[in-house]
Short mmCIF file of all heavy atoms in Angstrom, two decimals:
data_model
loop_
_atom_site.label_atom_id
_atom_site.label_comp_id
_atom_site.label_asym_id
_atom_site.label_seq_id
_atom_site.Cartn_x
_atom_site.Cartn_y
_atom_site.Cartn_z
N TRP Y 12 6.28 -18.34 -8.58
CA TRP Y 12 7.39 -18.96 -7.85
C TRP Y 12 8.66 -18.97 -8.71
O TRP Y 12 9.76 -18.70 -8.22
CB TRP Y 12 7.01 -20.37 -7.43
CG TRP Y 12 8.10 -21.10 -6.70
CD1 TRP Y 12 8.84 -22.16 -7.15
CD2 TRP Y 12 8.59 -20.82 -5.39
NE1 TRP Y 12 9.75 -22.55 -6.22
CE2 TRP Y 12 9.62 -21.75 -5.11
CE3 TRP Y 12 8.25 -19.87 -4.42
CZ2 TRP Y 12 10.32 -21.75 -3.91
CZ3 TRP Y 12 8.95 -19.87 -3.22
CH2 TRP Y 12 9.96 -20.81 -2.97
N GLN Y 13 8.50 -19.25 -9.99
CA GLN Y 13 9.66 -19.28 -10.89
C GLN Y 13 10.30 -17.90 -11.04
O GLN Y 13 11.49 -17.79 -11.32
CB GLN Y 13 9.25 -19.81 -12.26
CG GLN Y 13 8.94 -21.31 -12.27
CD GLN Y 13 8.37 -21.79 -13.60
OE1 GLN Y 13 8.23 -21.01 -14.54
NE2 GLN Y 13 8.05 -23.08 -13.67
N ALA Y 14 9.50 -16.84 -10.84
CA ALA Y 14 10.01 -15.47 -11.01
C ALA Y 14 10.46 -14.86 -9.69
O ALA Y 14 10.73 -13.66 -9.63
CB ALA Y 14 8.92 -14.60 -11.63
N ARG Y 15 10.58 -15.67 -8.65
CA ARG Y 15 10.88 -15.13 -7.30
C ARG Y 15 12.21 -14.40 -7.25
O ARG Y 15 12.40 -13.47 -6.44
CB ARG Y 15 10.83 -16.24 -6.27
CG ARG Y 15 11.90 -17.31 -6.44
CD ARG Y 15 11.62 -18.49 -5.49
NE ARG Y 15 12.66 -19.52 -5.58
CZ ARG Y 15 12.69 -20.46 -6.52
NH1 ARG Y 15 11.75 -20.51 -7.46
NH2 ARG Y 15 13.65 -21.38 -6.52
N SER Y 16 13.14 -14.77 -8.11
CA SER Y 16 14.46 -14.12 -8.09
C SER Y 16 14.41 -12.66 -8.58
O SER Y 16 15.34 -11.90 -8.35
CB SER Y 16 15.46 -14.90 -8.94
OG SER Y 16 15.02 -14.96 -10.29
N SER Y 17 13.30 -12.28 -9.24
CA SER Y 17 13.17 -10.91 -9.75
C SER Y 17 12.48 -9.98 -8.76
O SER Y 17 12.08 -8.86 -9.11
CB SER Y 17 12.40 -10.91 -11.08
OG SER Y 17 11.09 -11.41 -10.91
N PHE Y 18 12.32 -10.44 -7.53
CA PHE Y 18 11.66 -9.65 -6.48
C PHE Y 18 12.27 -8.25 -6.39
O PHE Y 18 13.50 -8.09 -6.34
CB PHE Y 18 11.78 -10.37 -5.14
CG PHE Y 18 11.32 -9.58 -3.96
CD1 PHE Y 18 9.96 -9.34 -3.74
CD2 PHE Y 18 12.24 -9.05 -3.05
CE1 PHE Y 18 9.54 -8.61 -2.65
CE2 PHE Y 18 11.82 -8.33 -1.96
CZ PHE Y 18 10.47 -8.10 -1.75
N ALA Y 19 11.41 -7.21 -6.38
CA ALA Y 19 11.87 -5.81 -6.33
C ALA Y 19 11.47 -5.20 -4.98
O ALA Y 19 10.29 -4.92 -4.76
CB ALA Y 19 11.27 -5.02 -7.47
N PRO Y 20 12.42 -4.97 -4.08
CA PRO Y 20 12.10 -4.44 -2.74
C PRO Y 20 11.38 -3.09 -2.79
O PRO Y 20 10.48 -2.84 -1.98
CB PRO Y 20 13.47 -4.31 -2.07
CG PRO Y 20 14.36 -5.24 -2.82
CD PRO Y 20 13.86 -5.26 -4.22
N GLN Y 21 11.74 -2.22 -3.76
CA GLN Y 21 11.11 -0.90 -3.83
C GLN Y 21 9.61 -1.03 -4.12
O GLN Y 21 8.79 -0.34 -3.50
CB GLN Y 21 11.77 -0.04 -4.92
CG GLN Y 21 13.25 0.21 -4.70
CD GLN Y 21 14.11 -0.78 -5.47
OE1 GLN Y 21 13.69 -1.91 -5.71
NE2 GLN Y 21 15.31 -0.34 -5.84
N ALA Y 22 9.27 -1.90 -5.07
CA ALA Y 22 7.86 -2.10 -5.40
C ALA Y 22 7.10 -2.67 -4.20
O ALA Y 22 5.98 -2.23 -3.88
CB ALA Y 22 7.74 -3.04 -6.60
N PHE Y 23 7.72 -3.63 -3.51
CA PHE Y 23 7.08 -4.26 -2.35
C PHE Y 23 6.82 -3.24 -1.24
O PHE Y 23 5.74 -3.23 -0.64
CB PHE Y 23 7.95 -5.40 -1.83
CG PHE Y 23 7.33 -6.19 -0.72
CD1 PHE Y 23 6.19 -6.95 -0.95
CD2 PHE Y 23 7.87 -6.16 0.55
CE1 PHE Y 23 5.61 -7.68 0.09
CE2 PHE Y 23 7.30 -6.89 1.58
CZ PHE Y 23 6.17 -7.64 1.35
N LEU Y 24 7.79 -2.37 -0.99
CA LEU Y 24 7.62 -1.35 0.05
C LEU Y 24 6.50 -0.38 -0.30
O LEU Y 24 5.72 0.03 0.58
CB LEU Y 24 8.93 -0.58 0.24
CG LEU Y 24 10.04 -1.35 0.97
CD1 LEU Y 24 11.34 -0.56 0.96
CD2 LEU Y 24 9.62 -1.67 2.41
N ILE Y 25 6.39 -0.01 -1.58
CA ILE Y 25 5.30 0.89 -2.00
C ILE Y 25 3.95 0.20 -1.81
O ILE Y 25 2.98 0.81 -1.33
CB ILE Y 25 5.50 1.31 -3.47
CG1 ILE Y 25 6.71 2.25 -3.61
CG2 ILE Y 25 4.25 1.99 -4.02
CD1 ILE Y 25 6.58 3.55 -2.84
N GLY Y 26 3.86 -1.07 -2.19
CA GLY Y 26 2.60 -1.81 -2.02
C GLY Y 26 2.20 -1.95 -0.57
O GLY Y 26 1.04 -1.72 -0.20
N ILE Y 27 3.17 -2.33 0.28
CA ILE Y 27 2.88 -2.49 1.71
C ILE Y 27 2.52 -1.15 2.35
O ILE Y 27 1.59 -1.06 3.17
CB ILE Y 27 4.08 -3.12 2.43
CG1 ILE Y 27 4.30 -4.55 1.94
CG2 ILE Y 27 3.88 -3.10 3.94
CD1 ILE Y 27 3.13 -5.50 2.18
N ALA Y 28 3.23 -0.09 1.96
CA ALA Y 28 2.91 1.25 2.49
C ALA Y 28 1.49 1.66 2.12
O ALA Y 28 0.77 2.27 2.93
CB ALA Y 28 3.91 2.27 1.96
N THR Y 29 1.06 1.31 0.91
CA THR Y 29 -0.31 1.62 0.48
C THR Y 29 -1.33 0.88 1.34
O THR Y 29 -2.33 1.46 1.79
CB THR Y 29 -0.50 1.25 -1.00
OG1 THR Y 29 0.48 1.91 -1.79
CG2 THR Y 29 -1.89 1.66 -1.48
N ILE Y 30 -1.07 -0.39 1.59
CA ILE Y 30 -1.98 -1.19 2.42
C ILE Y 30 -2.08 -0.60 3.83
O ILE Y 30 -3.17 -0.44 4.38
CB ILE Y 30 -1.50 -2.66 2.49
CG1 ILE Y 30 -1.63 -3.32 1.11
CG2 ILE Y 30 -2.29 -3.45 3.53
CD1 ILE Y 30 -1.00 -4.70 1.02
N VAL Y 31 -0.93 -0.27 4.40
CA VAL Y 31 -0.90 0.30 5.76
C VAL Y 31 -1.67 1.62 5.81
O VAL Y 31 -2.46 1.87 6.74
CB VAL Y 31 0.55 0.49 6.24
CG1 VAL Y 31 0.58 1.29 7.54
CG2 VAL Y 31 1.23 -0.86 6.42
N LEU Y 32 -1.47 2.47 4.80
CA LEU Y 32 -2.17 3.76 4.77
C LEU Y 32 -3.68 3.57 4.64
O LEU Y 32 -4.46 4.26 5.31
CB LEU Y 32 -1.65 4.59 3.59
CG LEU Y 32 -0.42 5.46 3.86
CD1 LEU Y 32 0.04 6.12 2.57
CD2 LEU Y 32 -0.73 6.53 4.91
N ILE Y 33 -4.10 2.65 3.79
CA ILE Y 33 -5.53 2.41 3.60
C ILE Y 33 -6.16 1.95 4.92
O ILE Y 33 -7.20 2.47 5.35
CB ILE Y 33 -5.78 1.37 2.49
CG1 ILE Y 33 -5.43 1.95 1.13
CG2 ILE Y 33 -7.25 0.92 2.49
CD1 ILE Y 33 -5.45 0.93 0.00
N VAL Y 34 -5.53 0.97 5.55
CA VAL Y 34 -6.06 0.45 6.82
C VAL Y 34 -6.08 1.53 7.90
O VAL Y 34 -7.07 1.68 8.63
CB VAL Y 34 -5.23 -0.77 7.28
CG1 VAL Y 34 -5.67 -1.23 8.67
CG2 VAL Y 34 -5.36 -1.92 6.28
N ALA Y 35 -5.01 2.31 7.97
CA ALA Y 35 -4.93 3.37 8.99
C ALA Y 35 -5.99 4.43 8.77
O ALA Y 35 -6.67 4.87 9.72
CB ALA Y 35 -3.53 4.00 8.97
N LEU Y 36 -6.18 4.85 7.52
CA LEU Y 36 -7.16 5.88 7.23
C LEU Y 36 -8.59 5.38 7.46
O LEU Y 36 -9.47 6.14 7.87
CB LEU Y 36 -7.00 6.38 5.79
CG LEU Y 36 -5.76 7.26 5.54
CD1 LEU Y 36 -5.55 7.49 4.05
CD2 LEU Y 36 -5.90 8.58 6.28
N ARG Y 37 -8.82 4.09 7.20
CA ARG Y 37 -10.16 3.53 7.47
C ARG Y 37 -10.48 3.58 8.95
O ARG Y 37 -11.62 3.80 9.35
CB ARG Y 37 -10.23 2.08 6.96
CG ARG Y 37 -10.48 1.95 5.48
CD ARG Y 37 -10.65 0.50 5.08
NE ARG Y 37 -11.00 0.37 3.68
CZ ARG Y 37 -11.16 -0.79 3.05
NH1 ARG Y 37 -10.97 -1.92 3.71
NH2 ARG Y 37 -11.49 -0.82 1.77
N ARG Y 38 -9.47 3.34 9.78
CA ARG Y 38 -9.71 3.33 11.23
C ARG Y 38 -9.79 4.74 11.80
O ARG Y 38 -10.61 5.03 12.67
CB ARG Y 38 -8.61 2.54 11.92
CG ARG Y 38 -8.66 1.05 11.62
CD ARG Y 38 -7.63 0.28 12.41
NE ARG Y 38 -7.74 -1.16 12.18
CZ ARG Y 38 -6.96 -2.07 12.74
NH1 ARG Y 38 -6.00 -1.70 13.58
NH2 ARG Y 38 -7.12 -3.35 12.46
N LEU Y 39 -8.90 5.62 11.33
CA LEU Y 39 -8.83 6.97 11.89
C LEU Y 39 -9.87 7.91 11.31
O LEU Y 39 -10.36 8.81 12.00
CB LEU Y 39 -7.42 7.54 11.66
CG LEU Y 39 -6.27 6.77 12.32
CD1 LEU Y 39 -4.93 7.37 11.90
CD2 LEU Y 39 -6.41 6.81 13.84
N ALA Y 40 -10.19 7.74 10.03
CA ALA Y 40 -11.15 8.65 9.37
C ALA Y 40 -12.00 7.83 8.38
O ALA Y 40 -11.80 7.90 7.17
CB ALA Y 40 -10.41 9.77 8.64
N PRO Y 41 -12.95 7.03 8.90
CA PRO Y 41 -13.71 6.13 8.04
C PRO Y 41 -14.52 6.81 6.96
O PRO Y 41 -14.83 6.20 5.93
CB PRO Y 41 -14.62 5.38 9.04
CG PRO Y 41 -14.63 6.22 10.28
CD PRO Y 41 -13.32 6.92 10.32
N ARG Y 42 -14.87 8.08 7.13
CA ARG Y 42 -15.64 8.79 6.10
C ARG Y 42 -14.75 9.44 5.05
O ARG Y 42 -15.22 9.93 4.04
CB ARG Y 42 -16.52 9.87 6.74
CG ARG Y 42 -17.65 9.31 7.59
CD ARG Y 42 -18.67 10.39 7.89
NE ARG Y 42 -19.84 9.85 8.57
CZ ARG Y 42 -20.97 10.50 8.72
NH1 ARG Y 42 -21.08 11.73 8.26
NH2 ARG Y 42 -21.99 9.97 9.35
N PHE Y 43 -13.47 9.44 5.30
CA PHE Y 43 -12.51 10.09 4.40
C PHE Y 43 -12.22 9.15 3.23
O PHE Y 43 -12.12 7.93 3.42
CB PHE Y 43 -11.23 10.38 5.17
CG PHE Y 43 -10.30 11.34 4.49
CD1 PHE Y 43 -10.66 12.67 4.32
CD2 PHE Y 43 -9.07 10.92 4.03
CE1 PHE Y 43 -9.79 13.55 3.70
CE2 PHE Y 43 -8.20 11.78 3.42
CZ PHE Y 43 -8.57 13.11 3.25
N PRO Y 44 -12.08 9.67 1.97
CA PRO Y 44 -11.78 8.81 0.83
C PRO Y 44 -10.33 8.33 0.87
O PRO Y 44 -9.48 8.78 0.10
CB PRO Y 44 -12.06 9.71 -0.38
CG PRO Y 44 -11.87 11.10 0.12
CD PRO Y 44 -12.31 11.07 1.56
N GLY Y 45 -10.05 7.42 1.78
CA GLY Y 45 -8.68 7.00 2.04
C GLY Y 45 -8.01 6.25 0.91
O GLY Y 45 -6.79 6.27 0.79
N LEU Y 46 -8.80 5.56 0.06
CA LEU Y 46 -8.21 4.78 -1.02
C LEU Y 46 -7.39 5.66 -1.95
O LEU Y 46 -6.23 5.37 -2.24
CB LEU Y 46 -9.30 4.05 -1.81
CG LEU Y 46 -10.07 2.95 -1.09
CD1 LEU Y 46 -11.03 2.27 -2.06
CD2 LEU Y 46 -9.13 1.93 -0.48
N ILE Y 47 -8.01 6.73 -2.44
CA ILE Y 47 -7.30 7.57 -3.41
C ILE Y 47 -6.16 8.33 -2.75
O ILE Y 47 -5.11 8.57 -3.36
CB ILE Y 47 -8.27 8.53 -4.14
CG1 ILE Y 47 -7.58 9.10 -5.38
CG2 ILE Y 47 -8.74 9.65 -3.22
CD1 ILE Y 47 -8.51 9.79 -6.34
N VAL Y 48 -6.33 8.71 -1.47
CA VAL Y 48 -5.26 9.40 -0.76
C VAL Y 48 -4.05 8.48 -0.60
O VAL Y 48 -2.90 8.87 -0.88
CB VAL Y 48 -5.75 9.89 0.62
CG1 VAL Y 48 -4.58 10.43 1.44
CG2 VAL Y 48 -6.81 10.96 0.45
N ALA Y 49 -4.28 7.23 -0.19
CA ALA Y 49 -3.19 6.28 0.01
C ALA Y 49 -2.45 6.00 -1.30
O ALA Y 49 -1.21 6.03 -1.34
CB ALA Y 49 -3.74 4.99 0.61
N VAL Y 50 -3.21 5.73 -2.36
CA VAL Y 50 -2.59 5.43 -3.65
C VAL Y 50 -1.85 6.66 -4.18
O VAL Y 50 -0.74 6.55 -4.74
CB VAL Y 50 -3.66 4.95 -4.66
CG1 VAL Y 50 -3.07 4.83 -6.06
CG2 VAL Y 50 -4.23 3.62 -4.23
N ALA Y 51 -2.43 7.84 -4.01
CA ALA Y 51 -1.79 9.07 -4.49
C ALA Y 51 -0.50 9.37 -3.73
O ALA Y 51 0.51 9.75 -4.33
CB ALA Y 51 -2.76 10.24 -4.36
N VAL Y 52 -0.52 9.19 -2.41
CA VAL Y 52 0.66 9.49 -1.59
C VAL Y 52 1.83 8.57 -1.96
O VAL Y 52 2.97 9.02 -2.16
CB VAL Y 52 0.33 9.36 -0.09
CG1 VAL Y 52 1.60 9.34 0.76
CG2 VAL Y 52 -0.57 10.50 0.34
N THR Y 53 1.57 7.27 -2.05
CA THR Y 53 2.66 6.34 -2.37
C THR Y 53 3.12 6.49 -3.83
O THR Y 53 4.31 6.33 -4.12
CB THR Y 53 2.24 4.89 -2.10
OG1 THR Y 53 0.99 4.61 -2.76
CG2 THR Y 53 2.06 4.65 -0.61
N SER Y 54 2.21 6.82 -4.73
CA SER Y 54 2.60 7.06 -6.12
C SER Y 54 3.44 8.33 -6.23
O SER Y 54 4.39 8.39 -7.01
CB SER Y 54 1.36 7.18 -7.01
OG SER Y 54 0.62 5.97 -7.02
N LEU Y 55 3.10 9.34 -5.43
CA LEU Y 55 3.90 10.57 -5.40
C LEU Y 55 5.31 10.28 -4.87
O LEU Y 55 6.30 10.84 -5.37
CB LEU Y 55 3.21 11.61 -4.53
CG LEU Y 55 3.89 12.99 -4.43
CD1 LEU Y 55 3.96 13.65 -5.80
CD2 LEU Y 55 3.14 13.89 -3.44
#
């Protein structure tokens, strides 16, 4: 809470995009290794 003023929108968007990708890949292709794909895509 004390560090709330240092909030970084770019980091937050990358984190949220990763969550969305993981959830979407789990639903659309449950056998696909979605974790590494999601993390790799947002890191790229």
Side-chain angles (χ1 to χ4, degrees):
W12 179 250
Q13 288 173 2
R15 65 189 182 278
S16 60
S17 62
F18 172 72
Q21 300 96 331
F23 185 66
L24 286 173
I25 291 298
I27 294 300
T29 305
I30 293 172
V31 171
L32 273 174
I33 290 172
V34 173
L36 287 170
R37 279 185 175 177
R38 291 185 177 180
L39 298 175
R42 292 195 174 193
F43 195 67
L46 294 184
I47 195 166
V48 172
V50 172
V52 167
T53 52
S54 297
L55 182 62

